[in-house]
Amino acid sequence: MPVHVRGLAKTYGAVRAVQGVDFTVAPGTTVTLLGPSGCGKTTTLRCIAGLEVPTAGRITVGDRVVYDDAEGIFVEPERRNIGMVFQSYAIWPHMTVGGNVGFPLKISGRPKAEVEERTRAILQLVGLGDLHDRPAAALSGGQQQRVALARALVHEPQVVLFDEPLSNLDANLRERMRTELQLLQARLGFTAIFVTHDQQEALSLSDRIIVMNRGRLEQEGTPQDVFQNPATAFTARFLGYANVFAGEVADIADAGKVRIDLGDGVLLAARWRASEPARKGERGTIAFRADRVAVEPRGTVPPGDNVIAGDIEAAAFLGTFIDYTIHAGPLQIKAEGPVDKPFVRGDAVQIRISPAQCHAFRAADAA
Ligand SMILES: Nc1ncnc2c1ncn2[C@@H]1O[C@H](COP(=O)(O)OP(=O)(O)OP(=O)(O)O)[C@@H](O)[C@H]1O
Ligand SMILES: [Mg+2]
């Protein structure tokens, strides 16, 4: 079932939590809202669930309008057939596992036998088949999260909203749950809207990612697209581009290529990412990823485009790669190098970044 959100706005007094958000979630797919604390992710979800009354906009689930300010439509949350899983598991500790999961069916007046049967089936599906009679308080964090998941799915919602459901789990369990969520979705076919501020989670779980910034959409696209082609410096930073520097547009080649002057004679060629063409002399921001920086011994690469001399300031072994901090003219550059050819602090190096991997943005975009 598709979900359409149009012109959604929510204001709390003077706080404009969500300011005109538009997106569509295709049936059976997962869209993730990704953004920093306070950017309006939870508010957006709560508006879709019907737990908040928006200030303006229109929300449809399938072909049913559940909210429209102009037409004065507001469908109560329990009539939207939407499941919701929160970061805090919000399970009832005084009930058994089965009691928690069956509760939504019980209050909707389903016959006892049906509640029992569907509860057992969904518990089986989330891997808690054996724990039906266990008091819910006597569970690990991961098991409690599965109970919350089972409870959200037991009435077979066609849309499920997830608000950072994995952030209280340890790293291993989180990764396993990501895979399990994808398998569950493939089996049950629900449409999912997922909220997180963890880029790995967003990249691995989503069909599409929406980056949010201060109550607005910053960028929307497939995980690959958003990751490889950030449209703004904000998105680049948020997706882990470790090198973001302010400079000035020094010259403009054709086909959206520019050179950014970063001071002290350091110029980097980059792809211009703003929709309006660059103007010579305007302020610009450049961004590139640490894993796209090649580090070589000084003197082994002929000078050329995007080759800069530098010195290793710090080197940290991180298992699969070495994390370098390199002092290069006015810049402190982050790089990742292979573990088999390590440099050490004080080594004279040259770094090289392919211009195709350097993204340049208009400075106003950097805010
Ligand atoms: N009930 C409320 N009353 C007043 N302000 C609120 C209320 N709920 C949220 N806000 C404000 O609205 C903005 C968006 O909040 P929201 O909870 O949607 O952010 P979020 O993106 O989910 O952040 P986080 O990652 O920290 O959960 C914040 O500035 C927040 O302080
Ligand atoms: Mg939140």
Side-chain angles (χ1 to χ4, degrees), residues 10-13 15-18 35-46 52 87 163-164 195-197 212 215:
K10 174 68 186 174
T11 304
Y12 298 102
V15 180
R16 298 206 279 175
V18 177
S37 188
C39 72
K41 305 180 297 290
T42 295
T43 305
T44 303
L45 275 200
R46 289 176 59 84
E52 298 285 349
Q87 174 179 19
D163 195 353
E164 311 213 20
V195 158
T196 183
H197 54 250
M212 283 185 76

Tab-separated table of all heavy atoms in Angstrom, residues 10-13 15-18 35-46 52 87 163-164 195-197 212 215, ligand 1:
chain	number	residue	atom	x	y	z
A	10	LYS	N	4.108	20.802	10.743
A	10	LYS	CA	3.681	20.689	12.137
A	10	LYS	C	4.429	21.724	12.958
A	10	LYS	O	5.650	21.776	12.948
A	10	LYS	CB	3.965	19.286	12.674
A	10	LYS	CG	3.676	19.122	14.152
A	10	LYS	CD	2.192	19.210	14.471
A	10	LYS	CE	1.922	19.179	15.961
A	10	LYS	NZ	0.507	19.405	16.269
A	11	THR	N	3.682	22.560	13.622
A	11	THR	CA	4.259	23.626	14.439
A	11	THR	C	3.851	23.397	15.889
A	11	THR	O	2.691	23.081	16.163
A	11	THR	CB	3.703	24.987	13.955
A	11	THR	OG1	3.990	25.095	12.562
A	11	THR	CG2	4.347	26.147	14.666
A	12	TYR	N	4.826	23.505	16.798
A	12	TYR	CA	4.512	23.493	18.232
A	12	TYR	C	4.809	24.889	18.754
A	12	TYR	O	5.984	25.226	18.921
A	12	TYR	CB	5.413	22.519	18.991
A	12	TYR	CG	5.311	21.063	18.588
A	12	TYR	CD1	6.275	20.488	17.775
A	12	TYR	CD2	4.268	20.269	19.064
A	12	TYR	CE1	6.214	19.142	17.434
A	12	TYR	CE2	4.197	18.929	18.730
A	12	TYR	CZ	5.173	18.375	17.921
A	12	TYR	OH	5.104	17.051	17.587
A	13	GLY	N	3.818	25.702	18.964
A	13	GLY	CA	4.070	27.090	19.396
A	13	GLY	C	4.954	27.770	18.369
A	13	GLY	O	4.600	27.879	17.209
A	15	VAL	N	7.954	26.613	17.536
A	15	VAL	CA	8.868	25.637	16.918
A	15	VAL	C	8.244	25.057	15.654
A	15	VAL	O	7.169	24.451	15.706
A	15	VAL	CB	9.186	24.477	17.902
A	15	VAL	CG1	10.129	23.474	17.248
A	15	VAL	CG2	9.776	25.013	19.185
A	16	ARG	N	8.933	25.292	14.521
A	16	ARG	CA	8.435	24.697	13.279
A	16	ARG	C	9.133	23.362	13.077
A	16	ARG	O	10.190	23.269	12.456
A	16	ARG	CB	8.678	25.657	12.130
A	16	ARG	CG	7.896	26.946	12.400
A	16	ARG	CD	7.564	27.667	11.150
A	16	ARG	NE	8.705	28.441	10.686
A	16	ARG	CZ	8.721	29.100	9.545
A	16	ARG	NH1	7.676	29.069	8.750
A	16	ARG	NH2	9.773	29.788	9.191
A	17	ALA	N	8.554	22.301	13.634
A	17	ALA	CA	9.202	20.985	13.666
A	17	ALA	C	9.272	20.377	12.270
A	17	ALA	O	10.278	19.771	11.901
A	17	ALA	CB	8.446	20.061	14.610
A	18	VAL	N	8.206	20.519	11.482
A	18	VAL	CA	8.172	20.009	10.104
A	18	VAL	C	7.623	21.130	9.234
A	18	VAL	O	6.591	21.717	9.549
A	18	VAL	CB	7.289	18.745	10.000
A	18	VAL	CG1	7.201	18.256	8.561
A	18	VAL	CG2	7.820	17.629	10.892
A	35	GLY	N	18.465	11.897	9.479
A	35	GLY	CA	18.825	13.281	9.792
A	35	GLY	C	19.202	13.428	11.247
A	35	GLY	O	18.954	12.534	12.055
A	36	PRO	N	19.792	14.571	11.588
A	36	PRO	CA	20.273	14.785	12.947
A	36	PRO	C	19.127	14.973	13.936
A	36	PRO	O	17.973	15.169	13.537
A	36	PRO	CB	21.111	16.052	12.836
A	36	PRO	CG	20.553	16.783	11.671
A	36	PRO	CD	20.050	15.738	10.723
A	37	SER	N	19.471	14.955	15.204
A	37	SER	CA	18.498	15.134	16.271
A	37	SER	C	17.737	16.448	16.084
A	37	SER	O	18.335	17.477	15.805
A	37	SER	CB	19.243	15.141	17.610
A	37	SER	OG	18.315	15.125	18.647
A	38	GLY	N	16.412	16.370	16.199
A	38	GLY	CA	15.589	17.573	16.144
A	38	GLY	C	15.174	17.998	14.749
A	38	GLY	O	14.523	19.028	14.584
A	39	CYS	N	15.521	17.208	13.705
A	39	CYS	CA	15.207	17.646	12.336
A	39	CYS	C	13.756	17.347	11.943
A	39	CYS	O	13.318	17.718	10.857
A	39	CYS	CB	16.177	17.032	11.332
A	39	CYS	SG	15.933	15.277	11.064
A	40	GLY	N	13.016	16.646	12.809
A	40	GLY	CA	11.591	16.449	12.535
A	40	GLY	C	11.197	15.031	12.118
A	40	GLY	O	10.076	14.807	11.658
A	41	LYS	N	12.069	14.067	12.316
A	41	LYS	CA	11.792	12.695	11.883
A	41	LYS	C	10.621	12.084	12.647
A	41	LYS	O	9.668	11.578	12.067
A	41	LYS	CB	13.044	11.815	12.083
A	41	LYS	CG	14.291	12.347	11.406
A	41	LYS	CD	15.494	11.443	11.638
A	41	LYS	CE	15.933	11.292	13.075
A	41	LYS	NZ	16.536	12.500	13.672
A	42	THR	N	10.723	12.137	13.994
A	42	THR	CA	9.666	11.538	14.814
A	42	THR	C	8.340	12.255	14.587
A	42	THR	O	7.285	11.618	14.480
A	42	THR	CB	10.064	11.589	16.304
A	42	THR	OG1	11.219	10.764	16.488
A	42	THR	CG2	8.944	11.093	17.205
A	43	THR	N	8.403	13.574	14.487
A	43	THR	CA	7.168	14.340	14.275
A	43	THR	C	6.497	13.896	12.976
A	43	THR	O	5.273	13.716	12.932
A	43	THR	CB	7.488	15.851	14.240
A	43	THR	OG1	8.188	16.191	15.434
A	43	THR	CG2	6.230	16.681	14.125
A	44	THR	N	7.283	13.706	11.919
A	44	THR	CA	6.723	13.254	10.641
A	44	THR	C	6.031	11.897	10.812
A	44	THR	O	4.893	11.702	10.372
A	44	THR	CB	7.839	13.157	9.574
A	44	THR	OG1	8.466	14.433	9.458
A	44	THR	CG2	7.293	12.728	8.220
A	45	LEU	N	6.704	10.955	11.483
A	45	LEU	CA	6.118	9.625	11.704
A	45	LEU	C	4.834	9.710	12.516
A	45	LEU	O	3.839	9.051	12.201
A	45	LEU	CB	7.091	8.721	12.467
A	45	LEU	CG	8.158	7.957	11.723
A	45	LEU	CD1	8.650	6.801	12.587
A	45	LEU	CD2	7.658	7.429	10.393
A	46	ARG	N	4.884	10.512	13.578
A	46	ARG	CA	3.710	10.606	14.452
A	46	ARG	C	2.514	11.218	13.725
A	46	ARG	O	1.368	10.868	13.990
A	46	ARG	CB	4.045	11.389	15.727
A	46	ARG	CG	4.973	10.596	16.664
A	46	ARG	CD	5.385	11.407	17.885
A	46	ARG	NE	4.245	11.848	18.678
A	46	ARG	CZ	3.633	11.114	19.602
A	46	ARG	NH1	4.069	9.902	19.861
A	46	ARG	NH2	2.608	11.592	20.268
A	52	GLU	N	-0.182	12.717	16.148
A	52	GLU	CA	-0.146	14.182	16.186
A	52	GLU	C	-1.114	14.683	15.128
A	52	GLU	O	-1.262	14.046	14.075
A	52	GLU	CB	1.236	14.731	15.790
A	52	GLU	CG	2.374	14.346	16.676
A	52	GLU	CD	2.394	15.104	17.995
A	52	GLU	OE1	1.624	16.083	18.136
A	52	GLU	OE2	3.163	14.690	18.865
A	87	GLN	N	11.705	3.281	19.610
A	87	GLN	CA	13.023	3.039	20.178
A	87	GLN	C	12.896	2.428	21.574
A	87	GLN	O	13.532	1.432	21.902
A	87	GLN	CB	13.771	4.371	20.247
A	87	GLN	CG	15.097	4.296	20.954
A	87	GLN	CD	15.780	5.648	20.958
A	87	GLN	OE1	15.149	6.686	20.757
A	87	GLN	NE2	17.063	5.645	21.183
A	163	ASP	N	10.523	3.902	14.496
A	163	ASP	CA	11.262	5.072	14.982
A	163	ASP	C	12.500	4.620	15.751
A	163	ASP	O	12.421	4.310	16.932
A	163	ASP	CB	10.369	5.944	15.868
A	163	ASP	CG	10.979	7.324	16.094
A	163	ASP	OD1	12.138	7.542	15.679
A	163	ASP	OD2	10.292	8.169	16.687
A	164	GLU	N	13.630	4.575	15.080
A	164	GLU	CA	14.906	4.145	15.662
A	164	GLU	C	14.754	2.871	16.487
A	164	GLU	O	15.187	2.821	17.642
A	164	GLU	CB	15.498	5.266	16.524
A	164	GLU	CG	15.506	6.585	15.780
A	164	GLU	CD	16.671	7.484	16.144
A	164	GLU	OE1	17.667	6.975	16.665
A	164	GLU	OE2	16.573	8.682	15.871
A	195	VAL	N	12.923	5.441	10.609
A	195	VAL	CA	13.615	6.654	11.037
A	195	VAL	C	14.915	6.277	11.725
A	195	VAL	O	14.941	5.383	12.565
A	195	VAL	CB	12.730	7.460	12.019
A	195	VAL	CG1	13.570	8.390	12.876
A	195	VAL	CG2	11.688	8.257	11.262
A	196	THR	N	15.988	6.938	11.346
A	196	THR	CA	17.256	6.688	12.019
A	196	THR	C	18.174	7.881	11.845
A	196	THR	O	17.962	8.718	10.978
A	196	THR	CB	17.938	5.413	11.464
A	196	THR	OG1	19.142	5.175	12.195
A	196	THR	CG2	18.288	5.549	9.994
A	197	HIS	N	19.216	7.976	12.718
A	197	HIS	CA	20.263	8.939	12.395
A	197	HIS	C	21.569	8.210	12.126
A	197	HIS	O	22.627	8.809	12.090
A	197	HIS	CB	20.390	10.034	13.457
A	197	HIS	CG	20.579	9.528	14.843
A	197	HIS	ND1	19.614	9.641	15.802
A	197	HIS	CD2	21.613	8.901	15.412
A	197	HIS	CE1	20.051	9.098	16.924
A	197	HIS	NE2	21.267	8.637	16.712
A	212	MET	N	16.804	14.614	5.993
A	212	MET	CA	16.049	15.753	6.522
A	212	MET	C	16.979	16.706	7.257
A	212	MET	O	17.943	16.289	7.889
A	212	MET	CB	14.956	15.287	7.498
A	212	MET	CG	13.742	14.694	6.816
A	212	MET	SD	12.434	14.301	8.018
A	212	MET	CE	11.773	15.939	8.357
A	215	GLY	N	13.501	20.267	9.616
A	215	GLY	CA	12.093	20.173	9.258
A	215	GLY	C	11.807	20.142	7.770
A	215	GLY	O	10.642	20.181	7.364
B	1	LIG	N1	5.492	18.003	21.817
B	1	LIG	C1	6.368	18.926	21.424
B	1	LIG	N2	6.299	20.200	21.876
B	1	LIG	C2	7.182	21.137	21.468
B	1	LIG	N3	8.197	20.906	20.617
B	1	LIG	C3	8.327	19.669	20.150
B	1	LIG	C4	7.446	18.602	20.518
B	1	LIG	N4	7.831	17.486	19.878
B	1	LIG	C5	8.911	17.820	19.149
B	1	LIG	N5	9.216	19.130	19.303
B	1	LIG	C6	10.312	19.864	18.634
B	1	LIG	O1	10.196	19.654	17.257
B	1	LIG	C7	11.476	19.470	16.650
B	1	LIG	C8	11.521	18.133	15.918
B	1	LIG	O2	11.437	17.088	16.874
B	1	LIG	P1	11.459	15.560	16.478
B	1	LIG	O3	11.186	14.773	17.721
B	1	LIG	O4	10.568	15.333	15.342
B	1	LIG	O5	12.972	15.373	16.034
B	1	LIG	P2	13.747	14.033	15.594
B	1	LIG	O6	14.260	14.284	14.232
B	1	LIG	O7	12.895	12.848	15.818
B	1	LIG	O8	14.987	14.047	16.622
B	1	LIG	P3	15.699	12.824	17.410
B	1	LIG	O9	16.697	12.241	16.449
B	1	LIG	O10	16.384	13.518	18.541
B	1	LIG	O11	14.656	11.854	17.844
B	1	LIG	C9	12.490	19.614	17.771
B	1	LIG	O12	12.965	20.921	17.767
B	1	LIG	C10	11.666	19.317	19.006
B	1	LIG	O13	12.210	19.970	20.120
